């Protein structure tokens, strides 16, 4: 078998991780032919002749068969990936924001141009979930796919819940360890998790939903009072993603913190680990767990895609092909805990019903059901409201019968 020449765009955390795993594994016949980066003044760990600042040098090189896109700019990444596909290259990417935003186009482009686009590393880093959804679960009746899809927020929640560390210190520590972005909103407000959920939903149920139509909120407004509420009841907080069937022909999805009990498989998923729980009609419940970020774990997932290309693998988008006729809905009720300080902040919420209320001197909370479609409408507003929301344990998302 001839050695595949790779054009690598991006040589940061994941690019260097890929280079490391590629040069330390024996089996695969692939080599990095050229690397495109952005900053001309940065010191590089490899010889200068390997680098270029022009992506076209890679895309136009006929000896390069595969472009590996590992940059941190989703808009530039989309342009580069599309250009590479038009040039007849197969592409491997880890860019979840780019994929979630353009998935429909990118699926169509693969068919139209006859090239392959693989992206296992984009969702939950080293956990091999996309190819499993495509191949292993191709004929399963999936009911729900859920889990912890963001390592930084899980690291922060672990520190807060198990060590009693305050939120700000835990966030700083996550940033110092390289788990969180410099602008941590992407992680802690649930956007990174949202993009992964959109990708996973497409491969689980064949439905592509625009990220802006899906509710996401995170842990950015978590207070010590909310944490105390969890601790008093032996619960932990996890930033949970979920996509599930609602009845026969609908599905819904969201990203929201959840209080979890010790018997929940997510309870012991700590620190920067991610987990995916697949609930299926026949196989029942299965848990995948692994590192969701980091150079080597993510690089290993990219390497696995490159290896898959060597035997001609491509996603069949099988659930889409099966035309499951599921439509996305936010007409659903979710039971939440809402921690707040100022009564005025409650005005943004329209509770369907209320089962408990507490009013203390410095903190209050309300527990009840809200409509998911109402939450989607206020998701931007929630980014600046000092309220913390979490799904109550042992509660299901319920379809609203109109
Ligand atoms: N970090 C993780 O653990 C992880 C996990 C899963 C998925 N991902 C995804 O993997 C991708 C890369 O993340 P990362 O953490 O490796 O990012 P990073 O460490 O910030 O590195 C980004 C790299 O991209 C290069 N770059 C940026 N814009 C470019 C452009 N227009 N043209 C050419 N090169 C450009 C940078 O060049 P310079 O070196 O010149 O600055 C740098 O080498 C992102 O999509 C991220 O969401 C990351």
């Amino acid at each position: 078998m001839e050695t595949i020449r790779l054009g690598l765009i991006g040589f940061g955390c994941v690019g260097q991780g890929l280079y490391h795993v590629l040069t330390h594994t024996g089996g695969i016949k692939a080599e990095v032919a050229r690397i495109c980066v952005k900053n001309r003044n940065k010191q590089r760990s490899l010889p200068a002749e390997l680098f270029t600042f022009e992506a076209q040098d890679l895309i136009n090189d006929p000896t390069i068969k595969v472009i590996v896109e590992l940059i941190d700019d989703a808009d530039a990444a989309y342009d580069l990936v599309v250009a590479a596909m038009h040039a007849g290259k197969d592409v491997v990417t880890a860019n979840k924001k780019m994929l979630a935003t353009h998935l429909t186009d990118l699926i169509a482009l693969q068919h139209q141009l006859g090239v392959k686009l693989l992206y296992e590393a984009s969702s939950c880093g080293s956990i091999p979930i996309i190819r499993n959804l495509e191949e292993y679960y191709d004929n399963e009746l999936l009911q729900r796919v859920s889990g912890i899809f963001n390592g930084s927020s899980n690291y922060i929640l672990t520190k807060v819940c198990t060590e009693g560390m305050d939120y700000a210190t835990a966030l700083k520590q996550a940033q110092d360890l390289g788990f969180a972005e410099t602008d941590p909103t992407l992680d802690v407000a649930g956007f990174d998790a949202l993009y992964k959920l959109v990708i996973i939903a497409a491969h689980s149920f064949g439905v592509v939903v625009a990220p802006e139509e899906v509710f996401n909120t995170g842990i950015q407004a978590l207070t010590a009072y909310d944490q105390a509420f969890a601790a008093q009841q032996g619960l932990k907080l996890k930033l949970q993603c979920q996509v599930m069937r609602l009845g026969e022909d609908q599905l819904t999805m969201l990203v929201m913190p959840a209080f979890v009990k010790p018997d929940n498989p997510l309870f012991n998923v700590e620190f920067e680990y991610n987990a995916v729980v697949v609930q299926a009609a026949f196989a029942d419940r299965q848990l995948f767990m692994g590192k969701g970020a980091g150079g080597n774990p993510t690089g290993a997932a990219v390497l696995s895609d490159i290896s898959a290309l060597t035997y001609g693998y491509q996603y069949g988008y099988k659930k889409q092909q099966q035309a499951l006729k599921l439509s996305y809905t936010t007409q659903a009720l979710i039971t939440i805990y809402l921690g707040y300080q100022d009564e005025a902040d409650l005005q943004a919420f329209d509770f369907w019903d209320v089962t408990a209320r507490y009013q203390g001197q410095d903190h209050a909370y309300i527990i009840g059901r809200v409509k998911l479609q109402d939450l989607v409408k206020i998701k931007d507003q929630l980014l600046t409201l000092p309220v913390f929301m979490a799904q109550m344990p042992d509660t299901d998302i319920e379809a609203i019968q109109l």
Side-chain angles (χ1 to χ4, degrees):
M1 193 194 289
E2 74 180 282
T3 299
I4 300 189
R5 284 168 59 79
L6 308 169
L8 176 57
I9 311 182
F11 198 60
C13 175
V14 184
Q16 291 178 52
L18 169 67
Y19 193 87
H20 179 81
V21 295
L22 184 61
T23 47
H24 284 78
T25 178
I28 186 166
K29 284 193 164 243
E31 66 181 14
V32 173
R34 207 82 200 275
I35 305 172
C36 173
V37 284
K38 191 174 180 185
N39 185 339
R40 289 170 190 268
N41 302 319
K42 235 186 224 178
Q43 284 287 331
R44 306 289 170 185
S45 55
L46 295 172
E49 57 271 21
L50 211 51
F51 290 91
T52 174
F53 303 97
E54 297 299 331
Q56 292 307 323
D57 291 347
L58 280 54
I59 292 170
N60 295 333
D61 182 339
T63 71
I64 289 178
K65 299 288 179 229
V66 175
I67 295 291
V68 183
E69 180 283 302
L70 298 173
I71 74 172
D72 55 344
D73 172 339
D75 295 332
Y78 179 65
D79 294 341
L80 291 168
V81 165
V82 169
M85 290 169 83
H86 275 285
K89 314 284 186 199
D90 293 331
V91 177
V92 175
T93 177
N95 203 315
K96 60 223 99 167
K97 183 176 182 189
M98 186 267 300
L99 289 160
T101 314
H102 299 286
L103 200 51
T104 302
D105 290 355
L106 291 170
I107 295 171
L109 215 51
Q110 289 176 73
H111 291 135
Q112 185 193 323
L113 300 171
V115 293
K116 304 173 188 74
L117 174 68
L118 300 183
Y119 40 82
E120 188 63 70
S122 67
S123 300
C124 304
S126 69
I127 300 177
I129 189 63
I130 297 177
R131 232 177 299 155
N132 270 311
L133 288 169
E134 276 292 313
E135 307 308 327
Y136 184 86
Y137 296 106
D138 56 348
N139 287 300
E140 249 294 5
L141 300 179
L142 295 179
Q143 293 162 335
R144 183 170 182 264
V145 180
S146 58
I148 296 168
F149 296 180
N150 180 262
S152 323
S153 47
N154 202 45
Y155 180 88
I156 295 166
L157 287 173
T158 303
K159 286 284 177 182
V160 168
C161 288
T162 60
E163 294 178 20
M165 191 179 272
D166 66 278
Y167 176 83
T169 310
L171 170 60
K172 171 84 173 54
Q173 214 175 77
Q175 284 176 317
D176 290 347
L177 286 165
F179 299 143
E181 306 281 338
T182 320
D183 168 10
T185 311
L186 268 180
D187 292 317
V188 297
F191 286 96
D192 174 82
L194 166 68
Y195 301 135
K196 295 168 183 170
L197 180 63
V198 165
I199 297 166
I200 283 179
H203 288 275
S204 309
F205 296 100
V207 178
V208 180
V209 183
E212 55 275 15
E213 290 178 35
V214 180
F215 181 69
N216 66 293
T217 189
I219 60 168
Q220 73 276 11
L222 177 71
T223 67
Y225 299 106
D226 308 314
Q227 159 50 18
F229 177 88
Q232 278 156 14
Q233 299 173 64
L235 305 168
K236 282 186 191 169
L237 275 164
K238 298 290 171 190
L239 180 54
Q240 182 175 244
C241 297
Q242 38 187 333
V243 54
M244 80 209 69
R245 280 177 182 267
L246 268 189
E248 281 301 297
D249 51 9
Q250 292 192 306
L251 101 169
T252 195
M253 57 206 264
L254 77 154
V255 180
M256 185 192 281
F259 292 108
V260 296
K261 289 171 126 177
D263 61 359
N264 187 310
L266 302 183
F267 191 84
N268 290 318
V269 178
E270 304 281 40
F271 298 103
E272 72 273 33
Y273 279 85
N274 281 194
V276 184
V277 182
V278 177
Q279 184 72 47
F282 309 125
D284 208 336
R285 191 172 72 180
Q286 289 162 317
L287 169 71
F288 296 76
M289 186 176 147
K291 287 201 170 159
N296 284 353
T298 314
V302 175
L303 181 74
S304 182
D305 276 349
I306 296 167
S307 171
L309 287 175
T310 66
Y311 53 82
Y313 179 75
Q314 64 188 96
Y315 298 136
Y317 296 96
K318 292 185 179 158
K319 300 287 174 176
Q320 240 183 0
Q321 300 302 323
Q322 289 165 8
L324 299 174
K325 297 203 170 57
L326 289 171
S327 62
Y328 172 65
T329 183
T330 53
Q331 288 272 3
L333 288 171
I334 180 165
T335 308
I336 62 163
Y337 157 102
L338 186 75
Y340 63 97
Q341 281 159 30
D342 187 345
E343 199 74 19
D345 291 332
L346 280 186
Q347 280 171 8
F349 297 88
D350 184 11
F351 276 82
W352 179 274
D353 54 19
V354 171
T355 48
R357 279 194 99 132
Y358 165 80
Q359 180 69 61
Q361 209 159 29
D362 305 313
H363 179 70
Y365 67 75
I366 181 165
I367 295 171
R369 291 187 298 175
V370 285
K371 280 198 272 181
L372 197 49
Q373 69 193 110
D374 290 344
L375 294 182
V376 174
K377 285 183 203 145
I378 59 165
K379 78 169 185 161
D380 291 342
Q381 191 185 348
L382 271 175
L383 286 172
T384 52
L385 272 188
V387 298
F388 176 75
M389 189 187 300
Q391 186 177 357
M392 289 298 287
D394 291 338
T395 60
D396 283 329
I397 294 175
E398 307 157 60
I400 302 175
Q401 308 301 339
L402 294 174

